[in-house]
Amino acid sequence: MAKWGEGDPRWIVEERADATNVNNWHWTERDATNWSSEKLKSLMLGLKVENEEGCCEVTEVSKVEGEASINNRKGKLIFFYEWNLKATWTGQSKTGVKYKGTVEVPNLSDENDMEDLDISVALNKDEPDTPLTALMKTKGADRVREALGSYVGFLKTEFTQGMILPTANGVAKPQATSQSKAKMDKTQISSSSSTAAPVNTGVKIPTCKFTLKDKFLTSPADLFRVFLNQEMVQAFTKAPASVDGTRGGRFRLLDGNVLGVFTDLVFDEKIVMKWRYNNWPSEHYATVSMTFVDLSSATELKVEYRGVPENEEERTKEGWKRYYFEAIKQTFGFGARLL
């Protein structure tokens, strides 16, 4: 028998103020079905692709059937999800002819990797043949796959907040377990923004405004394109990203830790976006206005920020300087070289 005070640490509850699930030993489960259903709809609805033949957009998510849950056992998170999805896409050719079709994903599951998803794209039976079907089967399917990958990332970061409780020795680090492994970004932006769950404060929060400037050894057109091109964004962030570089288009960077929407685009001159870290109060976005000034041999980028939470000012400044400005210069060679 153990001596007084030397019992199994799994049962020592005095060291936690709330005496709850000490050292994360007990099995706990959280139902993620309703949250997942809404998240899947929001990620898929409005997805757009286009080429020389026209454009296509997901205009309705008609079926989201399935379930999702997360279990915590001994500090390990185990993910279960299985979904059958169906959506409607609408296409419009360059000549103005409209078409409709469907997108079906029958096997979004923790047992399947993203590349193994069955994404079935079809044109409605009463519609005439159109090259837009091929566009949806290629680029459209890729965008759907990216959106579903983002869902898995959100499930493993945003929804799991608070499932790993502090232990007697500090805060336990969650160990995610499932067959589909989410990549964890190692930058300051990612690690900092995933430390707290988004909360809806219900009250006005104090905010601030500030301006940052920097120079890049490239043309305004080339620098402008860096922020709107998905492949280029993935290159300088060194992480998966989803970027719809159109007015009203959404973006998600660093496994969903940074997200927003482009509200105004003046090509080669100005980008205005709603921008946020995912742990800011729910639905709170800062307004970020980027102005590209042609200096002949370089481009001056002036970035104005409004509505940044006061306690996030320094982190936002440092994040933009390091993970936008410096990263872009290093990745694309737009920085000045000191001799």
Side-chain angles (χ1 to χ4, degrees):
M1 179 178 294
K3 296 180 181 179
W4 180 265
E6 296 182 1
D8 190 329
R10 292 173 290 179
W11 311 113
I12 300 176
V13 299
E14 295 92 333
E15 296 186 32
R16 274 193 55 86
D18 57 9
T20 302
N21 198 12
V22 178
N23 293 324
N24 299 285
W25 182 260
H26 300 295
W27 182 284
T28 60
E29 180 174 341
R30 181 181 293 180
D31 184 4
T33 301
N34 291 336
W35 177 91
S36 293
S37 179
E38 293 303 313
K39 180 65 72 174
L40 286 165
K41 289 179 182 178
S42 68
L43 290 171
M44 292 185 65
L45 194 62
L47 289 179
K48 295 180 181 179
V49 289
E50 59 182 318
N51 63 10
E52 66 280 358
E53 299 291 343
C55 62
C56 300
E57 179 181 355
V58 176
T59 53
E60 181 186 4
V61 181
S62 56
K63 182 170 73 173
V64 182
E65 294 181 351
E67 60 182 350
S69 63
I70 305 173
N71 295 300
N72 171 17
R73 174 61 166 158
K74 299 182 182 179
K76 292 183 179 180
L77 295 181
I78 306 171
F79 298 85
F80 301 97
Y81 55 90
E82 187 170 4
W83 294 99
N84 185 352
L85 311 171
K86 185 175 181 179
T88 298
W89 63 269
T90 302
Q92 182 170 330
S93 69
K94 292 295 185 180
T95 59
V97 181
K98 293 185 178 181
Y99 304 87
K100 277 194 174 183
T102 58
V103 179
E104 295 189 61
V105 184
N107 64 334
L108 176 60
S109 165
D110 58 277
E111 296 182 353
N112 298 320
D113 292 329
M114 280 299 127
E115 57 268 25
D116 296 328
L117 283 184
D118 293 328
I119 302 178
S120 176
V121 175
L123 186 68
N124 287 352
K125 292 181 179 180
D126 57 345
E127 298 282 0
D129 289 339
T130 171
L132 295 179
T133 307
L135 172 62
M136 277 301 297
K137 287 184 176 181
T138 53
K139 291 184 178 181
D142 288 342
R143 291 301 306 277
V144 170
R145 197 183 307 275
E146 289 169 7
L148 299 181
S150 295
Y151 155 71
V152 176
F154 281 126
L155 180 66
K156 295 182 178 182
T157 54
E158 181 178 305
F159 189 78
T160 57
Q161 299 296 335
M163 289 198 70
I164 302 296
L165 300 174
T167 67
N169 297 320
V171 178
K173 296 182 179 180
Q175 301 177 36
T177 302
S178 74
Q179 285 195 297
S180 299
K181 297 181 180 179
K183 294 182 179 179
M184 299 299 293
D185 186 86
K186 297 180 181 180
T187 64
Q188 177 184 357
I189 290 180
S190 176
S191 60
S192 299
S193 62
S194 60
T195 57
V199 293
N200 192 340
T201 61
V203 297
K204 185 176 181 179
I205 63 173
T207 62
C208 62
K209 61 181 180 179
F210 54 89
T211 300
L212 297 177
K213 294 182 181 180
D214 208 335
K215 292 182 180 179
F216 298 80
L217 299 182
T218 188
S219 67
D222 286 345
L223 185 58
F224 186 93
R225 189 161 59 95
V226 166
F227 293 93
L228 302 181
N229 181 280
Q230 180 168 298
E231 287 72 24
M232 299 181 81
V233 171
Q234 291 182 146
F236 78 77
T237 60
K238 298 178 175 60
S242 176
V243 181
D244 179 0
T246 60
R247 182 176 299 176
R250 297 183 177 276
F251 58 85
R252 295 182 298 276
L253 316 181
L254 300 170
D255 292 325
N257 288 289
V258 170
L259 60 155
V261 57
F262 297 110
T263 58
D264 192 22
L265 300 175
V266 180
F267 282 92
D268 305 341
E269 295 181 12
K270 191 171 186 178
I271 296 174
V272 182
M273 67 180 86
K274 295 295 185 182
W275 186 98
R276 60 177 272 119
Y277 286 123
N278 76 348
N279 70 323
W280 284 3
S282 180
E283 298 305 317
H284 181 84
Y285 289 80
T287 298
V288 178
S289 300
M290 308 169 64
T291 304
F292 301 77
V293 181
D294 191 351
L295 302 179
S296 183
S297 60
T299 298
E300 181 185 73
L301 179 61
K302 178 182 178 181
V303 188
E304 298 178 344
Y305 306 80
R306 299 194 313 273
V308 174
E310 282 187 352
N311 61 344
E312 293 287 298
E313 179 178 357
E314 290 305 313
R315 183 162 74 100
T316 302
K317 285 181 178 179
E318 292 305 312
W320 270 78
K321 289 176 182 178
R322 182 173 180 181
Y323 298 111
Y324 279 89
F325 299 169
E326 293 304 319
I328 288 172
K329 290 178 181 180
Q330 293 175 8
T331 302
F332 303 110
F334 295 166
R337 298 284 186 250
L338 299 177
L339 301 179

